Amino acid sequence: MLRETDIILAIESSCDDTAAAVLKGRKVLSNCIANQNLIHKAYGGIVPELASRAHQSKIIPVVSQALTEANIDKKELTAIAYTQGPGLLGSLLVGSSFGKSMAIALNLPLLPINHMQGHLLAHYIENENITPPVFPFLGVTLSGGHTQLILVKEYFEMELIGTTLDDAIGEAFDKCGKRMGLNYPAGHQIDKLAQDGDHLRFTFPITNLKKYDVSYSGVKTAFTNFIQKQKDPDFVTKHLNDLCASLQYTLIQIILNKIEKAAQDYGINQIVIGGGVAANSEIRKQLKNISKSKDWEVFLPSLSLTTDNAAMIGVAGYYKLQQNKYGSISDSAQARLKI
Ligand code: KG4
Ligand code: ZN
């Protein structure tokens, strides 16, 4: 039964963003986020202990802000959705404990959500200009922690057909960015710098594993070695744009090859992208070009829905609520929750 009047509070705290959203049905009433980039910048990556402490101090203000912006009183809520995993355990525990406490206090049902499913289901958020994908489709999650090819048969029926054997694509962007002296997270900066660079100036290995798995650690090592062996101490500064463009081209090509293979093998022509790296302007451009030449329909999230957010957790919660797939207070946060 469709319940467009249900009001869901969603909480996302799987990594380094404390986020809360309020949805009425599939419509987003508020979508608030407190990111921790400044906290982790000095360390060149996320420090899990600092992340959980920052979540603890941010969770109440962010949830309050989401309710205020939505103009919703907590007594009007129908259910509480929260990210159960995957992610950093300490971070997940903050959001899940807070969600559970609120659900007990308000006597509301709980909706535990898989973060990666949330990235894909973000495409079902109400948007009058966009028709959501139709099942089955090929889901592709590209983030700092995951690189996955997923056969999506139904809202919560997803089969992982390919994944990274080592680093995730976003991790490769961030780690190679660090080698060039860029701040964490480096993906967005590499994207910008690459726009004025020549992607054919330097060549790095485009790994091609069997089936649909990918590997990014080889490119990372090749990139690091290449920079280290340069005699000119100013090499990176002098060639920053070309290095970014060549690296980005390589990282993107690896996953594009697999997307094309999976779409062809499974006879699927709807490709649904999710995750922070989906903000990358080059991968967006390339996917749009491929979609024209292959007659695919490519679904790219709006930029505000690419990186981690709670609206995607809320819309996934909406479908769980519709299907009466409730969680319970004994569900535990799971760092390695599978798709
Ligand atoms: O999905 P997300 O917000 O968090 C995780 O669940 O990991 O993804 C974060 C990742 C980071 O690695 C960041 O560098 C990357 O997304 N990213 C980008 C861009 N914007 C964010 N990578 C490439 N190009 C971008 N424009
Ligand atoms: Zn994510």
Side-chain angles (χ1 to χ4, degrees):
M1 187 181 60
L2 285 172
R3 290 183 293 209
E4 299 295 339
T5 51
D6 283 331
I7 298 178
I8 296 175
L9 169 71
I11 297 168
E12 150 64 35
S13 71
S14 64
C15 193
D16 60 338
D17 295 304
T18 318
V22 177
L23 279 81
K24 184 171 186 178
R26 293 182 302 123
K27 189 173 172 191
V28 178
L29 301 183
S30 64
N31 192 17
C32 302
I33 194 154
N35 81 43
Q36 306 176 1
N37 288 351
L38 286 178
I39 296 173
H40 303 289
K41 191 172 146 184
Y43 304 93
I46 296 165
V47 184
E49 180 57 29
L50 295 183
S52 14
R53 284 190 211 180
H55 283 305
Q56 277 179 325
S57 67
K58 292 285 178 201
I59 189 95
I60 294 177
V62 172
V63 168
S64 305
Q65 188 192 350
L67 288 166
T68 307
E69 282 186 19
N71 200 17
I72 291 290
D73 186 274
K74 53 185 185 301
K75 293 199 182 84
E76 294 176 77
L77 296 172
T78 314
I80 296 188
Y82 68 92
T83 304
Q84 186 184 16
L88 300 170
L89 190 59
S91 293
L92 290 165
L93 279 169
V94 178
S96 59
S97 312
F98 189 86
K100 286 178 191 177
S101 317
M102 241 181 122
I104 293 174
L106 298 167
N107 196 22
L108 292 174
L110 276 164
L111 307 162
I113 304 297
N114 181 308
H115 178 86
M116 305 317 292
Q117 294 190 347
H119 270 303
L120 295 176
L121 296 178
H123 291 269
Y124 291 84
I125 286 173
E126 190 175 307
N127 182 334
E128 54 198 34
N129 302 315
I130 298 171
T131 312
V134 176
F135 303 111
F137 60 76
L138 179 68
V140 184
T141 57
L142 307 171
S143 72
H146 293 85
T147 311
Q148 300 173 320
L149 264 66
I150 301 158
L151 199 57
V152 182
K153 301 167 192 169
E154 248 292 333
Y155 293 108
F156 301 106
E157 215 188 310
M158 304 195 186
E159 184 192 340
L160 184 70
I161 58 169
T163 185
T164 177
L165 299 186
D166 36 60
D167 292 352
I169 183 167
E171 196 178 351
F173 268 103
D174 295 338
K175 287 183 176 165
C176 292
K178 193 174 172 186
R179 307 283 186 274
M180 293 186 280
L182 302 178
N183 284 331
Y184 172 85
H188 177 65
Q189 299 159 74
I190 292 176
D191 186 354
K192 275 185 91 175
L193 290 161
Q195 282 165 22
D196 296 317
D198 173 4
H199 71 277
L200 298 175
R201 177 72 178 78
F202 304 110
T203 309
F204 304 108
I206 296 178
T207 46
N208 193 7
L209 305 183
K210 279 189 192 149
K211 294 235 165 173
Y212 315 108
D213 287 336
V214 291
S215 163
Y216 279 107
S217 76
V219 189
K220 184 187 65 187
T221 309
F223 186 80
T224 306
N225 290 346
F226 178 72
I227 286 181
Q228 275 173 353
K229 77 172 189 221
Q230 301 303 323
K231 301 214 168 61
D232 180 356
D234 296 326
F235 178 81
V236 170
T237 319
K238 284 181 190 159
H239 300 281
L240 190 58
N241 297 92
D242 289 346
L243 280 168
C244 288
S246 304
L247 170 72
Q248 176 176 273
Y249 172 78
T250 311
L251 298 178
I252 290 176
Q253 214 50 53
I254 290 173
I255 191 68
L256 284 180
N257 289 344
K258 294 300 178 186
I259 295 175
E260 286 193 48
K261 180 174 164 49
Q264 188 175 335
D265 291 356
Y266 284 90
I268 284 182
N269 65 357
Q270 286 181 105
I271 318 294
V272 178
I273 314 289
V277 182
N280 184 271
S281 59
E282 185 59 27
I283 201 164
R284 292 176 90 90
K285 193 169 97 191
Q286 297 245 17
L287 281 164
K288 281 179 193 158
N289 288 343
I290 300 175
S291 72
K292 280 186 206 137
S293 67
K294 292 200 178 277
D295 212 16
W296 285 355
E297 207 176 345
V298 174
F299 295 80
L300 291 160
S302 64
L303 289 184
S304 64
L305 294 175
T306 52
T307 39
D308 290 347
N309 64 85
M312 68 184 200
I313 302 303
V315 76
Y318 166 79
Y319 287 107
K320 281 220 161 169
L321 191 62
Q322 263 193 51
Q323 299 180 3
N324 296 321
K325 288 189 167 143
Y326 302 117
S328 85
I329 214 74
S330 56
D331 293 324
S332 48
Q334 288 183 40
R336 295 181 181 276
L337 186 66
K338 297 224 165 34
I339 195 96

